[in-house]
Amino acid sequence: MASTDRSARTGPEPTPAFDRPLDWAIGAVLGVFGLLVALGGAALRAAIERPDIATLLRDSEFRSDVLTEAEAIDTLVALGEWGGLGLVVAGVSIALLGIAVVVAHGRARRDGRPTPRWILGVVGAIVNTVLSFVPLSPILGGAAASYLSTDRDSGVATGIFAGLFTIVPALLVVVFVGVGLFTGLPGPSAAAAVAVVVVAGLFGIAYVVGLSALGGYIGRRSNA
């Protein structure tokens, strides 16, 4: 009788948003994608050679009113090296995120807890990435993430997670590219380029996270 009363008070056991095989599928997709991104970054960094860049610029009859040929070479080398490093960091982060999804969702399932919002956010980020060719696609990713949620919230928080997991890997690359511009360009040009990168990054965050939050709200309402 006591057990029955306790069950009545606590309600039904929370159920995960999806089954274990999908955990492994998400982990595998993120692992492979992250590995490819990291390998691409490593290849880019290894391929950057100053003599090759210099030859390329001379063969293309480089002309600029802003940069000398030497400054252009320095900039391209710095961009390649730092951009490649950024891709490596982003790729490793994506792969580790895939591992985290498998481990964390498995623990939540064993403990009888619902799927954490951040894992639903990862699902939404995958949807965002796959459908990135669709206008306003972050709305779809946020909606997919919150639709799967069993929480009775507005869905906005889940949508925000979807937006963050979509934009953070790109921001990591942008940060490293910004460092490359800052170290490769001469003083005034470096400051202007970094300012442009910062503004573009802030716009990207507002666009992706904002639309994903809106999608989260829509997805929650559609599943109310």
Side-chain angles (χ1 to χ4, degrees):
M1 180 66 70
S3 176
T4 303
D5 292 342
R6 189 179 302 111
S7 298
R9 288 195 302 270
T10 58
E13 284 288 322
T15 56
F18 44 84
D19 295 330
R20 190 62 171 165
L22 192 53
D23 291 352
W24 288 103
I26 292 172
V29 168
L30 293 179
V32 171
F33 180 68
L35 179 61
L36 291 176
V37 171
L39 289 176
L44 173 62
R45 186 174 172 81
I48 294 297
E49 296 288 346
R50 184 177 294 273
D52 294 337
I53 298 295
T55 301
L56 179 64
L57 286 180
R58 293 190 185 100
D59 291 344
S60 64
E61 299 181 354
F62 171 78
R63 296 288 185 276
S64 174
D65 296 330
V66 179
L67 300 176
T68 65
E69 183 176 292
E71 290 171 341
I73 293 172
D74 290 340
T75 301
L76 291 175
V77 170
L79 277 176
E81 291 178 346
W82 283 98
L85 183 58
L87 287 171
V88 171
V89 172
V92 171
S93 300
I94 292 170
L96 291 176
L97 182 61
I99 296 173
V101 168
V102 174
V103 173
H105 206 198
R107 288 178 178 173
R109 188 179 283 105
R110 288 193 300 271
D111 295 341
R113 293 182 284 110
T115 302
R117 287 177 183 169
W118 70 267
I119 292 180
L120 298 175
V122 173
V123 175
I126 293 174
V127 173
N128 282 344
T129 303
V130 172
L131 299 179
S132 58
F133 62 93
V134 178
L136 306 179
S137 62
I139 294 178
L140 302 177
S146 67
Y147 185 84
L148 293 172
S149 177
T150 56
D151 291 338
R152 295 301 177 185
D153 59 1
S154 65
V156 172
T158 305
I160 289 174
F161 273 119
L164 288 174
F165 283 121
T166 301
I167 196 68
V168 164
L171 286 179
L172 287 173
V173 178
V174 168
V175 167
F176 280 88
V177 167
V179 174
L181 289 172
F182 185 76
T183 58
L185 288 170
S189 299
V194 170
V196 170
V197 169
V198 170
V199 171
L202 292 175
F203 176 80
I205 293 172
Y207 173 79
V208 174
V209 177
L211 289 182
S212 294
L214 174 61
Y217 177 78
I218 294 172
R220 181 72 267 171
R221 297 292 293 177
S222 66
N223 195 28

